[in-house]
Amino acid sequence: LTIITNILNGIGYKDLHYLLKVLLMTKKIILDCDPGHDDAVAIMLAASSKEIEILGITCVGGNSGLNNTVNNALKVCTLIERTDIKVYSGANKPIHYELFTAEYVHGKTGLDKKGDPIIIDTNYKPQEKHGVDFIIETCKSSTDQIYLCPTGPLTNIALSLQKDPSIKKNIKEIVFMGGAAMCLGNTTPSAEFNIYVDPHAANIVLDSGIPLTMMGLDVTHQVNVNSKIIKSMNENKNKTSKFFGELMEFYTIFHKELYETEETPLHDPCVIAYLLDPSIFSGKKVNVRVEENSELTRGKTVVDWLGVTKRPANCFVMNQANNEKFFQLLKDNLSQLP
Ligand code: BDR
Ligand code: CA
């Protein structure tokens, strides 16, 4: 008791209040990703916040092959000096389909950028445990409920739920980037990339009964990077913000051409921004199913916005985002990193 009293006296009331707030509000997450430029920004945003504890990063084949996505996660954590974050290698291909990658967006390495290459810390290696086993074991052993944050194809998450459905009770929420409710797809006219790559995995997640939040193209196309944002981020004057700029210089090339605008959607950090400040986004709880097989519409998220099918609502689908609030949060948070 004396020790505790001394500690409390030492840190003062204000600090104690802050400490308690942080402890009570800290969200424990597993970031399941396929870096990828926007995944990289999601990692940085999560790592910069005291309100989020990253239990581990699991990687999946998606934007690039699995070896690249794992290496890219290691690169990002090296750059932000967070080599304490454990990185796990997961599924190298979707449940039924062959892997379809997006080198046409993210380059040969999956994380091509301007400037010098990032050299991974020599002692920083991927963990031996498979990502799926890490997800299962972490959910089972945690006393707190866990947030799963997939920003790539949902393969690792679906495989974990299939292998051990008992983990569902330990999952507070799955907040995923994927799908398109009321807008065009970006990989086919009807499908967004992550859901297109592994539609079977998406349906396993959608059928799981776990609270789900979908950050689809409807919202990610409302948080756009442009040269003004890159310039503004540079005002942070730290190496993470410089890195952000170097990544974005490459990432915006494809989008400028495709959309014929200066605005590039920054998809994946929306997942983390939602955990940090849900007021940035709004949406509606509705039923979502995914088309698995059609040649024309594989990966389409069929979102029953009007409730016409009477199928039960299984997913909170976001359709509004506040661009200004989002980028202010990102800028403030990235300034906290080296
Ligand atoms: C999604 O596809 C990937 O290219 C991005 O990283 C993002 O997760 C957007 O459709
Ligand atoms: Ca991604």
Side-chain angles (χ1 to χ4, degrees), residues 34 38-39 63 106 151 177 186 192-194 217 267-268:
D34 60 338
D38 51 336
D39 302 80
N63 284 324
H106 300 273
T151 61
M177 190 282 133
N186 60 0
E192 177 279 330
F193 179 81
N194 291 338
L217 299 180
H267 312 282
D268 294 337

Side-chain angles (χ1 to χ4, degrees), residues 52-316:
I52 283 182
E53 182 186 344
I54 304 177
L55 300 176
I57 293 178
T58 50
C59 294
V60 65
N63 284 324
S64 196
L66 185 63
N67 277 346
N68 277 350
T69 61
V70 170
N71 268 332
N72 292 341
L74 296 172
K75 282 182 196 167
V76 175
C77 293
T78 299
L79 186 120
I80 61 172
E81 299 176 17
R82 285 297 308 273
T83 52
D84 58 300
I85 298 176
K86 295 196 166 89
V87 174
Y88 298 81
S89 173
N92 61 1
K93 67 179 280 298
I95 294 180
H96 291 300
Y97 287 122
E98 287 310 309
L99 180 63
F100 172 84
T101 54
E103 271 89 10
Y104 55 92
V105 182
H106 300 273
K108 224 168 71 192
T109 64
L111 198 65
D112 285 9
K113 69 171 196 72
K114 276 187 103 185
D116 299 330
I118 302 160
I119 311 297
I120 301 168
D121 190 312
T122 42
N123 298 318
Y124 191 33
K125 305 264 186 250
Q127 301 297 303
E128 289 202 344
K129 191 176 289 179
H130 192 279
V132 167
D133 294 323
F134 169 73
I135 293 173
I136 294 172
E137 286 168 29
T138 308
C139 287
K140 289 185 95 157
S141 63
S142 172
T143 46
D144 297 311
Q145 288 222 308
I146 290 174
Y147 290 82
L148 298 185
C149 300
T151 61
L154 288 158
T155 324
N156 282 340
I157 308 295
L159 291 176
S160 307
L161 294 172
Q162 273 188 332
K163 193 166 175 186
D164 191 342
S166 78
I167 62 168
K168 288 181 190 175
K169 61 176 183 307
N170 303 90
I171 301 169
K172 174 96 177 153
E173 189 177 347
I174 301 177
V175 184
F176 65 96
M177 190 282 133
M182 283 167 285
C183 60
L184 288 172
N186 60 0
T187 302
T188 72
S190 37
E192 177 279 330
F193 179 81
N194 291 338
I195 307 295
Y196 176 82
V197 172
D198 199 343
H200 300 90
N203 272 336
I204 291 170
V205 171
L206 287 162
D207 286 343
S208 67
I210 297 166
L212 303 174
T213 298
M214 169 172 142
M215 314 300 283
L217 299 180
D218 307 77
V219 277
T220 66
H221 277 256
Q222 293 174 44
V223 293
N224 291 300
V225 181
N226 51 35
S227 51
K228 231 172 102 190
I229 301 271
I230 297 175
K231 214 165 144 203
S232 151
M233 203 64 77
N234 268 326
E235 290 164 5
N236 279 340
K237 298 206 180 313
N238 58 351
K239 70 171 172 182
T240 302
S241 301
K242 181 169 172 263
F243 177 49
F244 172 86
E246 291 172 351
L247 288 175
M248 292 303 113
E249 294 290 346
F250 185 90
Y251 178 64
T252 50
I253 298 172
F254 165 82
H255 297 87
K256 280 182 193 167
E257 252 179 63
L258 179 68
Y259 298 111
E260 295 177 351
T261 97
E262 289 302 305
E263 309 291 316
T264 290
L266 193 53
H267 312 282
D268 294 337
C270 287
V271 166
I272 306 300
Y274 174 69
L275 292 184
L276 292 174
D277 182 358
S279 78
I280 297 175
F281 304 94
S282 62
K284 187 169 162 183
K285 197 166 177 205
V286 294
N287 181 273
V288 184
R289 293 283 303 154
V290 169
E291 173 57 51
E292 293 175 354
N293 299 313
S294 156
E295 207 182 303
L296 258 185
T297 58
R298 160 183 162 183
K300 178 175 175 60
T301 39
V302 180
V303 175
D304 186 6
W305 195 259
L306 300 176
V308 289
T309 65
K310 307 282 183 260
R311 288 195 284 259
N314 59 348
C315 186
F316 214 99

